[in-house]
Amino acid sequence: MKITRVETALARVPLKQRTITDSQSKVDAVDFLQVTLSTDDGITGYGMNWSYTPGLRAAQVAVDDDYAPILLGGDPVQRKELVRRCYYSNHFVGRVGATQVGLAAVEFALWDLICRAAKQPLWKYLGPCRDRVKAYSTDGGWLSWSVDDLVRDATRLVERGFDAVKVKLGRPDPSEDLARVKAVRHAIGSKVKLMTDVNCAWSLGTAQYWGSRLAEHEVFWLEEPMHPFDVKAHAQLARSISVPIAVGETIYTKYAFRDFIEAGAVHVVQADATKLSGIDEWLEVAALASAANLPLVPHTNVQHKLHVQLAAATPAVLMVENCYESIADIWEEPIYVKNGYYELPEGPGVGLKIRDEVISATRIS
């Protein structure tokens, strides 16, 4: 099997819900980069990456100008070598960021070709350890929600079958964050896991003081409390509060995860294959976490089908995030949460193909 054509499309898909916010971002649409690899065997592979801030055009250029010439004529079975060559084609201008976002989309498409050739979904190709994957929801805990909205949505999610929900933190006055957490905990009771997410907005002092207060409300983890490159500060925080620290959404290499783990700066590893260089590096991070006896909870916004399948084949994964449900139907064979668990896809491949009509209606490049 040889790759005969490389195509890209950039689309901006509006959310079908009110604008959502965290401490850093305001989101009313998600940008998607679709990478399509055609082969002489008639098998087509699809990869994807995403962003809720502008910038994917740079990733598209990296695929079109740098990676496509390397991929053409290549054998997808040689996936790791092709990815290595793509990586070094532009590493002087971007070892992480836009170039890596584009490379991950290529890597997913290469995996997709192999799984489609084997006529298996990714989770079966990898070898499953479970036949369903527990979900937790972020969709009811956005920072712009009022306390009444938070309580209503958290209660609704629990009634749907979720036994774990997450609330965003990072208001200008952290005492408001604490009051919001207290209200949600009171509404959902002590048996439901309650997580919190700062999206990198706090200083070490703020995280130490207010993070310690979260223990009063049995918070299951404190996510991204500070700048994600500051391993030392996270290690100091982990030693000074009892609430577990979760990081990974904005960590881009296995080496950075290694440093967090070795420093004792993380308790819950939230590796995201769309931020790393793809599935292979995600599996390496999963192995690092497993060797350190740390649980994985993949960061997931729109890439549910990818991480649910990785979770189905990775014993250390506790659960997978669920949010942006309003656009779940953009995918071919979308998956949904039922009674607190994700269903697993049965179609062959990685499952990152956006429906043609969605691309046509929302394409911007």
Side-chain angles (χ1 to χ4, degrees), residues 92-248:
F92 283 121
V93 297
R95 296 181 180 183
V96 298
T99 58
Q100 182 160 293
V101 165
L103 183 55
V106 166
E107 200 252 20
F108 300 145
L110 291 168
W111 269 96
D112 196 46
L113 285 170
I114 298 302
C115 291
R116 286 176 182 268
K119 299 181 179 179
Q120 288 187 322
L122 174 65
W123 63 278
K124 286 187 178 179
Y125 186 85
L126 290 173
C129 61
R130 53 177 65 92
D131 59 7
R132 62 177 186 167
V133 173
K134 180 176 283 295
Y136 80 89
S137 181
T138 301
D139 250 345
W142 300 105
L143 198 62
S144 55
W145 272 216
S146 68
V147 173
D148 288 343
D149 288 339
L150 286 177
V151 168
R152 184 195 66 240
D153 285 351
T155 303
R156 173 182 56 82
L157 290 166
V158 172
E159 290 172 350
R160 276 185 55 190
F162 288 97
D163 64 2
V165 297
K166 189 164 75 180
V167 172
K168 296 288 186 175
L169 307 183
R171 291 208 160 197
D173 181 356
S175 66
E176 293 183 26
D177 289 327
L178 193 67
R180 289 155 69 85
V181 170
K182 179 179 180 180
V184 173
R185 170 55 77 198
H186 178 74
I188 63 178
S190 60
K191 292 184 179 180
V192 177
K193 290 183 176 67
L194 176 59
M195 290 79 74
T196 57
D197 184 359
V198 185
N199 291 103
C200 311
W202 283 351
S203 66
L204 176 58
T206 300
Q208 287 174 320
Y209 181 81
W210 293 102
S212 65
R213 298 287 302 276
L214 295 173
E216 303 168 17
H217 307 296
E218 301 176 85
V219 167
F220 193 63
W221 75 56
L222 173 60
E223 181 175 335
E224 286 205 310
M226 299 172 293
H227 194 288
F229 294 175
D230 195 342
V231 178
K232 183 177 179 180
H234 282 83
Q236 289 178 264
L237 180 63
R239 290 193 295 267
S240 61
I241 69 173
S242 62
V243 176
I245 307 302
V247 296

Side-chain angles (χ1 to χ4, degrees), residues 27 30-34 48-53 56 101 105 108 249 272-275 299-303 307 324 331:
V27 183
V30 181
D31 286 6
F32 290 91
L33 173 64
Q34 183 89 84
M48 175 281 309
N49 222 319
W50 65 281
S51 176
Y52 50 61
T53 57
L56 276 185
V101 165
F108 300 145
E249 174 180 348
D272 182 342
T274 68
K275 304 295 181 66
H299 165 258
T300 299
N301 283 340
V302 297
Q303 63 277 32
H307 286 134
Y324 293 19
W331 307 104

